[in-house]
Amino acid sequence: MRHTSRIEISKSAYRRNIKFIRSQVGDDTIISAVIKGNAYGHGIENIVSIAENAGIRHFSAFSTDEAQRVHQASQKDSQIMIMGMVDNRDLEWIIKNGISFFVFEFDRLMTAIKVAKKLKTPAKIHVEVETGFHRTGFEWNEKEFLADIIYEHGIHLDLSGLCTHYAGAESIANYLRVQNQIKQYRNFKSWFDSHGIKFGTYHTACSAASLSYPETIMDMVRIGILQYGFWPSQETYMSKFKQLAANRKNPLKRLISWKSSIMSIKEVGMGDFVGYGTTFMAHRKMKIALVPVGYCHGFSRMLSNLGKVLIQGKMVSVVGTVTMNAISVDITDLKDVKKGDEVVIIGKQKNNEITVASFSETTQQVNYELLTRLPTDIPRKIVY
Ligand SMILES: *Cc1c(COP(=O)(O)O)cnc(C)c1O
């Protein structure tokens, strides 16, 4: 059966992005590909396959269900790490399959030890410490108790990592907060060092931190948005601008293109309202194309009378409100448009391009949000 739209994922773009990331983090740092949120909308299975072909052997998920999809898709025995939600009842599967996970609560730690003991397989844990993000992480005053547990149950634990996450490394407004976090992380590290507790990897950096705070690049970086070809923020791009100016080219390339086709065409007279309500009145005799993509497909209602798509390589405007399954676009000035013609919602057509960033400009929707709201049931295809 045919879907109303389709998404293409470029593997050559991915390779190029990894090459750039590698140039930033050095040869000795593990790049963990963050695949939460259905791999930022790209499809976990697609990204695991493309990434493994590009040499990636480490993946970061938010939750166990995502980790399970990586586990099933992986062909190269890659390491999988869960950074967020783990239900204690899933620990058995996780530990049995050698999947590592963040630990930031004694409850999870004690259960992990119990399960590891039962399975006679050490639990691979990443101890997350609180440095100022204030979401998850062991507090400074919990470290002694934590160390005691590690001393006592060490044989059931594989101390895979010591980690933290920064509270907004993509914006200079958070500079002081991030600096304090780096300091506090170092305090934790030295304290564990001086108490004889060593971790397999030390990792703190996401995409923005890797670019803007190179001192946060340690044994491993957890890279999400960059690998998909997007800058974490305009600001991060600007801060790299000087360095990039030398080759005058954006080193990142978007993987994703989103396409549909014209469903039907209709002529309307001057003064006619198009679609629900009265938000758009034809100011002349017009030709309107219906495109079967609406807010249920992730095309925000906020793009009513604002959004653009490409047809015949030309930018055309959404007229009227975005409805659940469709938008109307103004094709009055295009010649020979017919039903079935390609419509590009994100991507290139002839000499024009609609970027993901252009959505943020009109709707404040950040690229992270737009991508992850693309429904999983739109078919995705890997292309060159
Ligand atoms: C999402 C996430 C990342 C990756 O963030 P990007 O900005 O996409 O690089 C890294 N670490 C943690 C803990 C995360 O939740």
Side-chain angles (χ1 to χ4, degrees), residues 19 26 151 202 278 286 320 332 371:
K19 204 167 134 197
Y151 293 140
Y202 295 86
T278 53
M286 290 176 81
T332 314
L371 293 166

Side-chain angles (χ1 to χ4, degrees), residues 230-234 302-303 354-371:
F230 303 101
W231 297 92
S233 65
Q234 183 73 8
M302 288 186 286
L303 292 161
I354 295 183
T355 63
V356 171
S358 66
F359 285 79
S360 348
E361 282 152 23
T362 36
T363 66
Q364 310 287 318
Q365 216 182 12
V366 295
N367 47 19
Y368 293 83
E369 186 181 348
L370 178 122
L371 293 166

Side-chain angles (χ1 to χ4, degrees), residues 1-157:
M1 218 60 77
R2 276 165 244 288
H3 285 254
T4 69
S5 69
R6 54 210 176 267
I7 289 170
E8 292 173 356
I9 314 280
S10 160
K11 56 185 175 190
S12 57
Y14 189 87
R15 279 184 179 274
R16 185 162 138 173
N17 298 338
I18 292 296
K19 204 167 134 197
F20 171 68
I21 295 162
R22 182 55 75 200
S23 77
Q24 299 297 301
V25 303
D27 287 339
D28 300 329
T29 301
I30 299 167
I31 298 174
S32 181
V34 178
I35 52 75
K36 64 190 182 197
N38 196 28
Y40 294 48
H42 294 69
I44 288 181
E45 291 75 12
N46 295 328
I47 294 302
V48 168
S49 146
I50 293 174
E52 286 189 332
N53 277 317
I56 298 292
R57 294 291 180 271
H58 201 288
F59 293 91
S60 294
F62 174 77
S63 51
T64 313
D65 57 308
E66 294 171 343
Q68 189 172 30
R69 285 172 63 191
V70 178
H71 184 68
Q72 274 159 5
S74 173
Q75 302 284 327
K76 306 273 185 193
D77 209 16
S78 294
Q79 180 54 230
I80 304 165
M81 176 170 87
I82 304 174
M83 306 184 293
M85 179 60 197
V86 169
D87 187 305
N88 283 350
R89 290 168 294 185
D90 291 330
L91 278 169
E92 189 162 327
W93 179 83
I94 291 169
I95 294 170
K96 209 186 275 171
N97 286 288
I99 290 163
S100 67
F101 52 99
F102 280 28
V103 166
F104 39 77
E105 286 163 349
F106 289 109
D107 165 57
R108 186 181 291 180
L109 181 60
M110 296 317 292
T111 314
I113 290 167
K114 211 164 71 194
V115 175
K117 204 187 255 175
K118 185 181 130 198
L119 294 175
K120 299 193 175 65
T121 309
K124 293 186 178 170
I125 64 165
H126 296 259
V127 169
E128 186 186 15
V129 289
E130 177 59 73
T131 60
F133 189 36
H134 296 130
R135 296 220 321 192
T136 48
F138 284 109
E139 301 288 334
W140 180 248
N141 65 15
E142 292 175 318
K143 63 188 183 307
E144 288 84 4
F145 188 47
L146 183 61
D148 286 345
I149 294 174
I150 292 174
Y151 293 140
E152 192 182 336
H153 301 282
I155 55 160
H156 301 300
L157 297 171

Side-chain angles (χ1 to χ4, degrees), residues 175-189:
Y175 180 79
L176 264 183
R177 189 166 168 202
V178 172
Q179 285 298 335
N180 284 329
Q181 285 192 269
I182 297 172
K183 231 180 274 167
Q184 186 62 359
Y185 178 81
R186 288 188 178 140
N187 291 339
F188 270 113
K189 179 177 184 300

Side-chain angles (χ1 to χ4, degrees), residues 34 36 40 83 102 165 205-208 222-226 232 368:
V34 178
K36 64 190 182 197
Y40 294 48
M83 306 184 293
F102 280 28
H165 187 50
C206 58
S207 296
R222 306 182 303 257
I223 300 291
I225 199 86
L226 276 180
Y368 293 83

